[in-house]
Amino acid sequence: MIEQIVFYLFGGILLLSASMVVVMRNPIHSALFLVLSFFASAAIWLLLQAEFLAITLVLVYVGAVMVLFLFVVMMLDINLVTVREGFARFLPVGITVAVFMIAAMGLVVSSDYFISDTYMPIKSIGLDYSNTKELGLTLYTQYLYQFEIAGAILLVAIVAAISLSMSKSKVNKSISPEQQVIVKKIDRLRVVKMKAEPNIKSREI
């Protein structure tokens, strides 16, 4: 009974925070609600006796990825007026996608797999059970090729991101001592000859 109460509590927090991530117009607030979503997901994983995944979610995503994401969002000069104008324009598309996603989740939950007793119930495990060991054995034996393909895709994405960031022309305002030493007067000074103009006051007199 207590586990169900905790599950529905953190499940409601997860749904509310995930909705606020999409609804909030301020990107900083959306990122903070995403952090709350990760904490709620970690609590649900603890109920499923997946302690390693819960700790990894908190340490990696909340402690590293989300902090980096917050720094990037705060350093970018985001025009909130333009973002708010695009929100109303793409609102019908967003509502359509949300309706399809809710319908798909409803079909999955209402299928025979979930309403029947064919799914595997959660079994109680002993104190000597290691989630890390079982996850490692499953990941590096049964899903080894999928794991390697995911690593290759991430490597390609990192290389592409670096190449895109390096391809942009950046204005470098640093001073080169070598160029200052070999500079000449003709490179820095230009004498312009101009005709002398009479004084306006003397001309009026």
Side-chain angles (χ1 to χ4, degrees):
M1 184 65 182
I2 299 178
E3 293 182 356
Q4 293 181 356
I5 295 175
V6 174
F7 172 77
Y8 285 116
L9 175 63
F10 284 102
I13 294 174
L14 178 58
L15 291 176
L16 178 62
S17 57
S19 301
M20 296 303 292
V21 171
V22 181
V23 173
M24 294 299 294
R25 296 182 179 181
N26 193 337
I28 303 298
H29 296 167
S30 297
L32 293 177
F33 275 110
L34 187 58
V35 172
L36 182 60
S37 301
F38 287 150
F39 275 111
S41 301
I44 294 175
W45 280 357
L46 286 175
L47 292 177
L48 296 176
Q49 299 179 357
E51 296 86 1
F52 177 76
L53 294 177
I55 295 174
T56 303
L57 180 63
V58 173
L59 293 180
V60 176
Y61 282 91
V62 178
V65 176
M66 286 308 304
V67 173
L68 179 62
F69 183 73
L70 281 174
F71 274 113
V72 170
V73 170
M74 294 174 67
M75 290 176 64
L76 291 177
D77 188 12
I78 301 176
N79 191 358
L80 295 179
V81 178
T82 307
V83 174
R84 291 173 183 175
E85 291 177 355
F87 179 80
R89 183 175 58 182
F90 294 105
L91 183 60
V93 180
I95 294 176
T96 305
V97 174
V99 168
F100 277 110
M101 291 179 64
I102 293 173
M105 289 187 292
L107 291 175
V108 171
V109 174
S110 62
S111 61
D112 296 334
Y113 179 80
F114 285 92
I115 62 178
S116 62
D117 297 332
T118 57
Y119 63 91
M120 183 181 297
I122 300 176
K123 298 180 181 179
S124 59
I125 56 178
L127 297 176
D128 57 345
Y129 182 81
S130 176
N131 286 325
T132 308
K133 181 179 178 181
E134 293 295 329
L135 182 63
L137 289 175
T138 305
L139 186 62
Y140 292 106
T141 54
Q142 185 176 358
Y143 298 100
L144 178 61
Y145 294 110
Q146 292 86 341
F147 182 76
E148 293 179 352
I149 292 172
I153 293 174
L154 290 176
L155 179 61
V156 173
I158 292 173
V159 173
I162 294 174
S163 62
L164 288 175
S165 62
M166 296 295 292
S167 62
K168 297 181 180 179
S169 60
K170 297 181 179 180
V171 179
N172 190 2
K173 296 183 179 180
S174 62
I175 301 174
S176 177
E178 298 177 356
Q179 296 180 0
Q180 286 186 338
V181 171
I182 62 175
V183 72
K184 297 180 181 179
K185 181 179 67 175
I186 192 173
D187 298 331
R188 296 292 180 89
L189 180 63
R190 185 178 62 177
V191 179
V192 179
K193 295 182 180 181
M194 300 178 63
K195 294 182 180 181
E197 297 182 357
N199 193 355
I200 299 177
K201 293 183 179 180
S202 63
R203 187 173 59 183
E204 291 178 355
I205 294 172

